[in-house]
Amino acid sequence: VPKSNQPALSGFLNRLLLRSSLSAEEQDAILGLRSHAVQARSRQDLVQPGRTVSHACFVADGMVGRFDAMRGGERQITALHLPGDMCDLQSVLCPTAGWGLMAIGTSTVLHIPHADLLNLVMRYPAIALAFWRDTIADASVLSKWVGNVGRKDARAGLAHLFCEIAVRMEQAGLGTLKNFRLNATQEQLSEALGISAVHINRTLQALRAENLLIFRSRQVQIPDWNALALVGDFDPTYMLIDRHKEAAPSAGFSRSAPPSRGPASARQ
Amino acid sequence: VPKSNQPALSGFLNRLLLRSSLSAEEQDAILGLRSHAVQARSRQDLVQPGRTVSHACFVADGMVGRFDAMRGGERQITALHLPGDMCDLQSVLCPTAGWGLMAIGTSTVLHIPHADLLNLVMRYPAIALAFWRDTIADASVLSKWVGNVGRKDARAGLAHLFCEIAVRMEQAGLGTLKNFRLNATQEQLSEALGISAVHINRTLQALRAENLLIFRSRQVQIPDWNALALVGDFDPTYMLIDRHKEAAPSAGFSRSAPPSRGPASARQ
DNA sequence: CGAGGGCTTGAGGTCTATCAAACAGAGTGG
DNA sequence: CCACTCTGTTTGATAGACCTCAAGCCCTCG
């Protein structure tokens, strides 16, 4: 039975507020979304590739991976979602996606009806913009992911991946840059980087030997953050954090929307 | 001097209409956008990574690549944009992106002021949704790109890349599935797939020997489309073409936006 | 016709995959 | 409390894909 789940959704609101401004009413509307909690064990599929869904998945606890599946069954993880992330906000407008979603470690996911999200989008244009902006941030991370997988060797790629996770873990309030818990197996890391699990293991050992990264019994330690960021060629700019709230005023726009320069007069 | 450029922009409108419905007024508003044409030679940078821009780039002619640059200068192309594509619609809301844009072959690009696009977005909520949906389609392609680069060998990756380009070329009205012109060098293909140019050359020769793909003097021939799609594990679903127009009604929503089930009553 | 960019080819080296087996740790049941 | 099982990690050896460097070739354009 769908019900309200304010405490968990406040994480989503926080994520949106990182990049967008929303009025009190709009914030309340988001916190008031109905949801339906679902538990998932590690490796369990939440959404199978190509399936049409009528709800979005919000990560309340644990971690969720978005993946692309090959014909042979191998998977390439294309994004990781931490608590506070809406994995497939995209599905609101495009309910049939090509990707799938799987749990990384035991996770709790809230299903949120598309109908309700659409309702929000239609009532509050500022929320529509905030959602769009969230999709943009997601795409920016994805874009970097391509570079990470395509042009870096295992050492640099792994370093970059851990840097990204560290930053987002800290943002989500789940640890510090240098110390956090990560419920992912080496095999799942290998699916994220597109290399074999065996090679992940050897690369982790190499990074460990250099005292750059320690990943043992689900706990991550980064003794020298700057050194690891250097190895991974990591620059957090691409995460689009807290920098564009003023660039495109979404708050207050629902009041009047004064046209500065009418496009009509410029035609022809 | 910015001026109207209707004939070129109609390509953009067509692309939007592939996935969204827009009223006559909204369509006119898009066609009436002011723009400023810019010529670019092959390899020339249109937007450097990390730079803040105040205009979006629309491809009027040629091809544009989005790329992620590594510290050493190597590039990973993360997306290709054909005529009719707005390369960085994202920049309207997030003007400082982490990626760059470069010309693939001689190209003509229209610069469109963010101010005007924002204006459209604020006046016409349906356009905002159409833009969001366009960003989603872009992200879906990007997601597939990760799998292509991460989990496929050179043969399959190259086959998939050519399949994708073929479909989009046909959509853009620039050729057929089996025959089109491609102004990209082997080196640029190598930057797209994250492998060396030499290896691209050898892989092209292998595909040529199998009579799967012929790429000579900028002309592409695909004698047996299905065979190539099989080699590349290509399934066009991910391109989100013409399938979701009815799923999320954006047309007509600006008229009334009747709330089906008020989220307010569901709270608590 | 010359110059230059792009393509092609060869040889050797590196990174990463694959396979197989041993090992470790957490949870289970007797 | 001790096997026992299961998943995940570690290790070794071998094979394959791909890279790098370097040189020669070809086409196109001025």
Side-chain angles (χ1 to χ4, degrees):
Chain A
V1 179
K3 56 166 192 174
S4 168
N5 211 321
Q6 276 211 27
L9 282 174
S10 70
F12 179 48
L13 181 57
N14 286 339
R15 185 181 145 94
L16 291 178
L17 291 176
L18 266 180
R19 306 186 178 89
S20 306
S21 301
L22 296 172
S23 72
E25 185 185 351
E26 289 152 357
Q27 297 191 22
D28 280 349
I30 286 172
L31 291 177
L33 281 166
R34 297 182 304 165
S35 63
H36 173 66
V38 172
Q39 281 279 335
R41 294 191 320 280
S42 187
R43 290 151 153 262
Q44 188 176 330
D45 283 359
L46 297 164
V47 174
Q48 288 179 344
R51 200 59 66 84
T52 302
V53 291
S54 60
H55 58 264
C57 290
F58 170 80
V59 186
D61 190 54
M63 191 154 72
V64 169
R66 200 191 314 165
F67 66 90
D68 180 39
M70 312 290 127
R71 196 189 324 131
E74 317 92 79
R75 292 181 169 188
Q76 171 68 47
I77 293 178
T78 60
L80 292 176
H81 294 286
L82 274 46
D85 289 357
M86 193 75 78
C87 303
D88 52 356
L89 199 49
Q90 297 88 359
S91 67
V92 173
L93 291 193
C94 301
T96 307
W99 58 64
L101 293 176
M102 63 186 275
I104 311 274
T106 308
S107 303
T108 305
V109 166
L110 302 187
H111 285 186
I112 301 181
H114 282 163
D116 293 6
L117 287 165
L118 255 179
N119 221 320
L120 240 60
V121 162
M122 304 205 295
R123 271 172 184 272
Y124 305 103
I127 289 185
L129 287 196
F131 283 3
W132 180 17
R133 201 177 271 114
D134 196 70
T135 300
I136 292 171
D138 196 78
S140 183
V141 172
L142 199 51
S143 188
K144 197 56 132 181
W145 204 290
V146 176
N148 209 34
V149 164
R151 276 293 184 210
K152 285 188 185 142
D153 61 14
R155 201 174 95 103
L158 200 52
H160 192 279
L161 180 60
F162 272 90
C163 285
E164 179 178 321
I165 294 176
V167 169
R168 290 175 54 197
M169 279 285 182
E170 196 188 46
Q171 260 177 57
L174 296 172
T176 69
L177 272 186
K178 303 184 146 204
N179 212 302
F180 56 92
R181 183 179 176 79
L182 180 66
N183 278 322
T185 66
Q186 293 185 2
E187 189 187 0
Q188 288 166 333
L189 292 178
S190 84
E191 288 177 337
L193 286 176
I195 63 186
S196 72
V198 171
H199 200 57
I200 284 283
N201 182 286
R202 297 195 161 115
T203 309
L204 276 174
Q205 287 179 55
L207 288 171
R208 168 85 175 79
E210 297 177 80
N211 209 34
L212 286 170
L213 174 68
I214 303 159
F215 179 36
R216 235 183 74 81
S217 53
R218 301 179 165 177
Q219 202 67 29
V220 177
Q221 286 177 57
I222 303 177
D224 185 344
W225 168 266
N226 289 330
L228 188 67
L230 190 66
V231 168
D233 196 4
F234 178 80
D235 171 3
T237 310
Y238 73 94
M239 302 178 86
L240 306 182
I241 303 162
D242 187 76
R243 203 167 309 198
H244 308 282
K245 287 170 69 168
E246 78 285 1
S250 65
F253 114 61
S254 42
R255 286 182 227 134
S256 60
S260 55
R261 285 170 293 180
S265 62
R267 280 190 58 185
Q268 247 312 330
Chain B
V1 180
K3 57 166 190 174
S4 169
N5 212 320
Q6 275 210 30
L9 282 175
S10 70
F12 179 48
L13 181 57
N14 287 339
R15 185 182 145 92
L16 291 179
L17 291 176
L18 267 181
R19 306 187 178 87
S20 306
S21 301
L22 295 173
S23 72
E25 184 186 351
E26 288 152 358
Q27 295 191 24
D28 279 350
I30 286 172
L31 292 176
L33 280 166
R34 298 181 305 166
S35 63
H36 172 66
V38 172
Q39 281 278 335
R41 294 191 319 280
S42 186
R43 289 152 155 260
Q44 189 176 327
D45 284 359
L46 297 165
V47 174
Q48 289 178 343
R51 200 62 64 84
T52 301
V53 291
S54 59
H55 59 264
C57 289
F58 170 80
V59 185
D61 190 53
M63 192 155 71
V64 170
R66 199 191 313 166
F67 66 90
D68 180 38
M70 313 289 128
R71 198 192 319 132
E74 317 93 78
R75 291 181 170 189
Q76 170 69 47
I77 292 178
T78 59
L80 292 176
H81 294 285
L82 272 48
D85 290 357
M86 193 74 78
C87 305
D88 52 354
L89 199 49
Q90 297 86 1
S91 68
V92 173
L93 292 193
C94 300
T96 307
W99 59 63
L101 294 176
M102 64 186 276
I104 311 275
T106 308
S107 303
T108 306
V109 166
L110 302 187
H111 285 186
I112 301 182
H114 281 164
D116 293 6
L117 287 164
L118 255 179
N119 220 318
L120 242 58
V121 162
M122 303 204 296
R123 270 170 183 273
Y124 304 105
I127 291 186
L129 286 197
F131 283 4
W132 180 17
R133 201 178 272 115
D134 196 70
T135 300
I136 292 170
D138 196 78
S140 183
V141 173
L142 199 50
S143 189
K144 199 55 137 183
W145 205 289
V146 176
N148 209 34
V149 163
R151 276 291 183 209
K152 285 188 184 139
D153 60 14
R155 201 173 96 103
L158 200 52
H160 192 280
L161 180 61
F162 272 90
C163 285
E164 179 179 322
I165 295 175
V167 169
R168 291 174 54 197
M169 279 286 181
E170 196 187 45
Q171 258 176 58
L174 296 172
T176 68
L177 272 185
K178 301 185 147 203
N179 212 303
F180 55 92
R181 183 179 175 80
L182 180 66
N183 279 322
T185 67
Q186 293 185 2
E187 189 188 0
Q188 288 166 331
L189 292 178
S190 83
E191 287 177 339
L193 286 176
I195 64 186
S196 73
V198 170
H199 200 58
I200 284 283
N201 182 285
R202 297 192 162 118
T203 308
L204 276 174
Q205 287 180 53
L207 288 171
R208 168 85 176 79
E210 297 178 80
N211 209 35
L212 287 169
L213 173 68
I214 303 160
F215 178 35
R216 234 183 74 81
S217 53
R218 300 180 168 177
Q219 202 67 29
V220 178
Q221 286 178 56
I222 303 177
D224 185 344
W225 168 266
N226 289 330
L228 189 67
L230 189 65
V231 168
D233 195 6
F234 178 78
D235 171 3
T237 310
Y238 73 96
M239 302 179 86
L240 305 182
I241 302 163
D242 187 76
R243 203 165 309 199
H244 307 283
K245 287 171 69 167
E246 77 286 0
S250 63
F253 113 61
S254 42
R255 289 182 225 134
S256 60
S260 55
R261 286 173 291 182
S265 62
R267 282 188 57 183
Q268 248 307 335

